[in-house]
Amino acid sequence: MDSKIIPVFSNKGGVGKTFVAVNLASSWALSGRRVLLLDLDIQAGHDMARMIGVAPEKSLAQMLTEIQETEQPGFNIVRKHVISHSSGLDFLPVITDPQEISTMASKDIKAFLKMVSQSYDYIVIDLGQTFSEMMLNVLDLANIILLIGTPDVLAVYQLRWCIKILEDMHFPTKMVKLVLNRAASQGGVPWQEVRDALDIDIIGRIPSDGSGVGQALERGVPSVIDNPKGPIADAFRKIVNELKKKDVFFHTAGDERSHVETGKFADSKTFWDQFSGEQKQDVSAANDAAAAEKEKLFALKRRIHALLITRLDLESLTPEHFTDQSKAQQLKESAKKIVSSLLEEEGAFIASHEQRLKTVNEIVNEAFGLGILEEVMEDPAVTDIMVNSCKEIYIEKEGQLRLTKHQFVSDQQLRAIVNRIIAPLGRRIDESTPMVDARLPDGSRFNAIIPPLCLTGPSITIRKFGAEKLTVDEIIQKFRSLSPPMRDFLYACVLGRMNVIISGGTGSGKTTLLNVLSEFIPDGERIITIEDAAELGLKKEHWCRLESRPPNVEGVGEVSLRDLFVNSLRMRPDRIVIGECRGPEVLDMLQAMNTGHDGSMTTLHANSTRDVLIRMSSMILLSGIELPMRAINEMMSSAINVIVHMARFTDGSRKVTGVTEIAGITSEHELILKDIFVFRQTGRDSDGKVKGFYESCHYVPKCADELITKGIKVDKGIFSSDPVAT
């Protein structure tokens, strides 16, 4: 059965929306059509019931409850609740009592409309004047959307706003038709100007007849029945004739209702489950259907993406359209309108407004952004994104690795996104340079590697850059990554210009802790940071950021961390902060710490505070500079004051597991390390969270006296304080 669902809507009151719905439904009923008139305007009370002269005792809300609670056939329940009008139409209000509003579930309206569409030719629905979830669920099944307006300036402006919202939710514009009420009123805007201003078709113009409409309302009779030969009845007959044209209606999923046979189900519960999508199906069949739908959607995306490229004026695009945030947003908004139009032209129907919005965003993001990764990037709880292949995407969320449902269409699409990210940065990736590091506009660290080095296809790793910087109090109270005595000691060290190294493994929180410790640096000092990919986000005004540069396409122009470090010494730094030491620059860092640049900080990969010294020695030796271990150890002893080690535990938590002082050097030129604070794990709780405590090692560091001499307040009691449980 080719049933048509026709919602009548206006976002402005007093334009005759209910009047149009009643008379349109009555006109169809008078022509012998089976018509259901639904009043879903909750705010309007019983206006529609008064207009057709009935007093309903039952409502849609009551009917939905009864359908799901009884064993009666669904259509029998519908017939019990609707009121048959003398014109031949059936009428049903959404509620008869305001208390019934709380019993309505927006999703149930779709199941109801699919069910009753088997019994009616037309379903005319007064949607009210407020955008709501129930309204959007009705529009998802609509074959046409009738907007009601009057020829006055304010109504035109409000209708334009309403059309803009529908466009933003990607409802096809050809679905929307305008019915102009009181079209011949004195002093009104000419209908031609209304049409041009709104850029939608006017499907009907209803003349003004205040006295006639008032008399019909008093008698509780629709105007087309009260005066069947009058101009209003004639106007509605013309609208009905327009709506009889096949190309007027937009085909939606509602048309698929014809494939479900009436009376197929034995009871209303089973019947309702079918239409609400809750009926259990064979698992393998469901999986096959889902796979087929996914492949169909991928094919659609590929077609739309190709068409989008041809529709865009590529010659007018400049690099600023991708690097400038405002221009990039304008480009995306323009592309969204094109994609929405292309979906309409392709005849592609997507079942819900949420899915339409998601599909359009995905296509645009795949063309101009990170594709399906945009959705993951917007989740603030996600800290890492790992794309192993186009079909396998993992994230780290709340400290746990999780496989997502997202997939790229192909390796080529994934490769295109990689090229799009690195192109504005002057980087490249190809078979001769199959690895690249880059930084996203929000500061997130980006790494990509492609075949032949990666055998599964292009692989991406993104370390997200937090929008909000953590404070030391959040580190202690929220994440339990640090104890108050540790905080107090590290505060004194930073304030007193001690040289600090933060060590740990990948993802252990080294950079986060470095950002937190930077809060303690006095505002009057000049800070220079040096990084491969800028990740640090210091909350300081006098801060100069330096970032290394890889070779260009010709293989020249490289600027290493070591080059930047040498240059930074000529920039009058008070403190030098290296994001991460991983090569020869460690020797320059030690020399700077030994030549007046106290208070410098850096991070370094290591398994423990003691392994830091071994790794630093190895990096110095591997740099090609031949130094005896005695000289290296003496340099580290005089340069480094404190080592702070971070660790990531299996439950995803990050904790400072050790704070160690380099207390000097022995006569055999061996470094003396003294633990000041440590974290000791005692087990796990019932939720798998790590249990343990922070404790002091009852060692008063030598630097404490130096800090006190500098005027820094240090409570030596923290070095023998009681353990702090996590």
Side-chain angles (χ1 to χ4, degrees), residues 403-468:
L403 177 64
T404 70
K405 62 181 179 181
H406 302 293
Q407 293 182 354
F408 287 96
V409 173
S410 64
D411 285 345
Q412 289 74 22
Q413 183 197 43
L414 181 54
R415 179 76 174 270
I417 289 174
V418 172
N419 289 329
R420 192 179 309 125
I421 292 170
I422 64 176
L425 304 175
R427 310 284 177 90
R428 65 166 184 164
I429 188 168
D430 51 34
E431 289 190 3
S432 62
T433 312
M435 297 182 292
V436 68
D437 274 310
R439 175 169 41 87
L440 300 181
D442 67 350
S444 297
R445 190 171 69 194
F446 174 89
N447 175 271
I449 182 168
I450 63 172
L453 298 188
C454 186
L455 302 182
T456 57
S459 178
I460 292 175
T461 306
I462 299 175
R463 171 70 55 80
K464 280 186 62 180
F465 192 77
E468 297 183 4

Side-chain angles (χ1 to χ4, degrees), residues 115-326:
M115 180 179 70
V116 297
S117 64
Q118 298 183 69
S119 299
Y120 296 97
D121 299 314
Y122 297 97
I123 302 173
V124 180
I125 306 169
D126 183 353
L127 281 184
Q129 62 188 59
T130 304
F131 281 96
S132 64
E133 190 63 28
M134 181 180 295
M135 168 199 165
L136 294 175
N137 280 320
V138 172
L139 295 182
D140 283 340
L141 294 178
N143 300 96
I144 195 172
I145 301 173
L146 295 185
L147 284 184
I148 314 303
T150 52
D152 60 86
V153 174
L154 182 59
V156 171
Y157 275 113
Q158 290 190 322
L159 283 172
R160 183 184 294 169
W161 176 81
C162 178
I163 294 168
K164 175 67 166 57
I165 292 178
L166 292 172
E167 288 177 346
D168 289 344
M169 289 186 288
H170 306 292
F171 285 99
T173 53
K174 74 176 184 180
M175 285 183 67
V176 185
K177 307 294 181 183
L178 178 64
V179 174
L180 201 60
N181 193 23
R182 300 193 285 274
S185 58
Q186 292 291 330
V189 180
W191 67 269
Q192 295 92 338
E193 293 185 16
V194 174
R195 178 195 59 198
D196 295 341
L198 298 178
D199 196 26
I200 61 172
D201 294 335
I202 297 179
I203 202 169
R205 288 176 286 145
I206 302 169
S208 180
D209 185 7
S211 60
V213 172
Q215 291 173 5
L217 180 60
E218 288 181 5
R219 287 192 281 268
V221 179
S223 294
V224 296
I225 297 177
D226 188 58
N227 186 7
K229 296 184 179 181
I232 288 181
D234 184 57
F236 275 102
R237 280 192 290 270
K238 290 180 180 178
I239 294 175
V240 167
N241 289 333
E242 284 296 312
L243 291 175
K244 286 180 180 178
K245 297 178 180 178
K246 291 185 178 181
D247 59 347
V248 171
F249 288 107
F250 185 79
H251 296 285
T252 73
D255 299 322
E256 297 173 5
R257 293 182 295 266
S258 60
H259 299 299
V260 183
E261 298 177 6
T262 305
K264 177 179 178 181
F265 303 103
D267 58 77
S268 61
K269 178 62 178 173
T270 307
F271 190 87
W272 191 256
D273 287 344
Q274 157 68 18
F275 288 115
S276 61
E278 296 173 1
Q279 187 182 32
K280 294 182 179 179
Q281 301 177 357
D282 178 72
V283 175
S284 61
N287 290 340
D288 292 343
E293 281 298 315
K294 182 180 290 188
E295 186 57 38
K296 187 177 179 182
L297 183 60
F298 280 169
L300 172 65
K301 286 183 177 180
R302 284 193 291 267
R303 291 200 308 274
I304 298 298
H305 187 272
L307 291 170
L308 174 62
I309 299 302
T310 61
R311 290 286 180 93
L312 284 170
D313 184 8
L314 297 180
E315 294 182 356
S316 65
L317 299 183
T318 63
E320 286 75 19
H321 282 95
F322 300 94
T323 56
D324 183 83
Q325 190 171 1
S326 61

Side-chain angles (χ1 to χ4, degrees), residues 81 110 303 315 396 399 401 433 472 538 550 566 598 624 633 653:
H81 284 74
K110 278 189 175 182
R303 291 200 308 274
E315 294 182 356
E396 180 180 313
L401 292 179
T433 312
V472 67
L538 309 189
V566 171
D598 295 334
N633 286 345
S653 62

